[in-house]
Amino acid sequence: MKKNILVIHTGGTISMYEDGETGAVKPGEENPLSAQTKGLSNLANLIVKEPFNLPSPHITMTEMLKLKELIINETKENTIDGVVITHGTDTLEETAYFLDLTTGLELPIVVTGAMRSSNEIGSDGLYNLITSIRVAACEEAKGKGVLVVLNDEIHTAKNVTKTHTSNLSTFQSPQFGPIGIISKPGIFFHNAPTHKEYYPIDSITKNVALLKAHAGMDSLLFKAILDLNYDGLVIEALGQGNLPPATVEGIKLLIEANIPTIIVSRCFNGIAQDIYGYEGGGKQLKKLGAIFSNGLNGQKARIKLLIALSQTNNMKEIEEMFHKI
């Protein structure tokens, strides 16, 4: 029996055209995926929604919440066996991780996209859509959280990241690799997440900044964040979680103002840890009250802190959320 798959088109390169004269890739008057999806009824019973059509740099927390609400409402009102979301690749991992933390569903939710527009030679959009529908209709995909499917690979929303500006194999999971692969005969999972998180939220009202550390960094940006009334900060620190000594003053001011300050590493492998005891080292930062995150990259730590601040202002509770693996 065919599965009922909710397909949600949101825009991105997968739904764009390349201008033959200028070479510019941009949205057209019609989304080519709308017609293409109709031709995939042999794969599943498809329920197609298009809540918006935006390039992924235009996606905000408002659109992410709208997607979450759409999925929850559709699964309450209809018999849905799986969900596929087409999305621009620039912020795809952030939307996927947000949905992973906030939907709390056992059914498969798959996010996919494309690196080449619909009319380019070698366009990967339709193929990625087809494989994503196959994964969403797969029994083995249940209970594994939100998945990201491109280029015949299945990744978890938590670990996947865009690693190349244009290559078709851009989505990778550093350290962990994909949890499954897709071939013509079937879908094959060889791994599964060991921990799931769910946070019920209805709105995002806080504002969280993301900064990347560099040699010679001082406290000016940290003081600016304080003056601009941000509610939280994520710092992509150096190495295992260290900062230049001139930043310490700014970190102290933020923590004294009860602004949660999350430390991740600007390295894309490894986990930030309080190892070094020099001025600006991880041990000093943790002693001041900075919170070290277990393996998230900066953009996902920001998503998680926004969600955390929608739940609590208690520093201890926020710290416990970031210690989950």
Side-chain angles (χ1 to χ4, degrees), residues 86-272:
T86 63
H87 195 289
T89 59
D90 285 351
T91 59
L92 184 151
E93 65 190 88
E94 287 158 271
T95 296
Y97 187 54
F98 175 83
L99 295 174
D100 192 49
L101 294 177
T102 61
T103 51
L105 300 173
E106 285 295 302
L107 58 80
I109 298 176
V110 177
V111 187
T112 191
M115 295 303 293
R116 294 175 183 162
S117 58
S118 61
N119 62 336
E120 286 185 67
I121 294 175
S123 173
D124 53 327
L126 181 58
Y127 183 81
N128 285 338
L129 176 58
I130 290 169
T131 55
S132 295
I133 293 171
R134 290 177 62 202
V135 172
C138 173
E139 285 294 316
E140 290 78 8
K142 289 182 178 178
K144 291 182 171 63
V146 174
L147 303 172
V148 172
V149 171
L150 291 98
N151 204 38
D152 281 337
E153 293 184 340
I154 307 168
H155 295 263
T156 64
K158 180 177 180 179
N159 294 324
V160 75
T161 191
K162 187 174 182 179
T163 65
H164 194 285
T165 58
S166 59
N167 196 289
L168 295 187
S169 61
T170 179
F171 281 93
Q172 304 290 329
S173 294
Q175 298 189 106
F176 303 101
I179 66 168
I181 58 173
I182 303 153
S183 67
K184 289 183 179 179
I187 312 297
F188 302 97
F189 286 93
H190 54 75
N191 206 344
T194 58
H195 175 76
K196 290 191 290 185
E197 298 176 68
Y198 169 60
Y199 305 101
I201 65 168
D202 296 316
S203 63
I204 296 287
T205 60
K206 305 298 184 180
N207 200 4
V208 172
L210 171 60
L211 294 180
K212 188 167 190 169
H214 55 81
M217 191 178 195
D218 59 24
S219 289
L220 287 176
L221 287 175
F222 300 105
K223 292 176 181 178
I225 286 167
L226 184 61
D227 293 340
L228 292 169
N229 296 317
Y230 274 84
D231 303 292
L233 171 66
V234 175
I235 309 170
E236 291 187 4
L238 308 172
Q240 292 195 54
N242 312 302
L243 291 171
T247 65
V248 173
E249 178 191 1
I251 297 293
K252 285 180 180 177
L253 291 172
L254 291 171
I255 294 171
E256 287 170 359
N258 205 39
I259 296 175
T261 302
I262 311 300
I263 303 291
V264 302
S265 176
R266 71 178 193 177
C267 304
F268 60 84
N269 279 307
I271 296 173

